[in-house]
Amino acid sequence: GIAWIYCNTQHELLRSAKIRKALAYAIDRKKICEQFFGGQLPSKTLLPGEMSFFKEDELYQDGDSEAACSLFHEGLKEEG
């Protein structure tokens, strides 16, 4: 099966695309899958890797705290 997390883009802090992207960089999908979904494999696209047009190196990396912090602060500044 497939499970995903929705982001309420109407919430004042989550309106910013940079803040949402920062969250995408910050989370550890592998750990979430291990803890909550019985060890299923994480995915960064809606399609399985072999069907996706994206290559793994074209996608953001999990747990990239430096990029996450940078984007988060940019998003906060933009939102005032």
Side-chain angles (χ1 to χ4, degrees):
I2 297 174
W4 59 85
I5 299 171
Y6 283 101
C7 190
N8 180 1
T9 59
Q10 301 305 309
H11 187 279
E12 67 179 280
L13 287 178
L14 298 176
R15 286 185 303 214
S16 167
K18 286 186 178 177
I19 291 177
R20 293 192 309 270
K21 192 171 186 177
L23 292 172
Y25 275 90
I27 63 175
D28 186 339
R29 286 165 186 78
K30 184 176 179 185
K31 186 176 271 186
I32 291 171
C33 287
E34 288 171 358
Q35 298 277 326
F36 298 103
F37 300 110
Q40 297 295 316
L41 298 174
S43 178
K44 295 178 187 172
T45 64
L46 292 175
L47 296 172
E50 58 274 359
M51 295 177 70
S52 177
F53 292 109
F54 295 103
K55 304 282 186 269
E56 183 64 30
D57 60 344
E58 295 176 318
L59 302 169
Y60 44 84
Q61 298 300 309
D62 284 354
D64 187 345
S65 59
E66 189 175 309
C69 283
S70 176
L71 285 165
F72 186 73
H73 289 294
E74 288 176 31
L76 287 178
K77 186 183 282 186
E78 287 177 2
E79 291 297 316

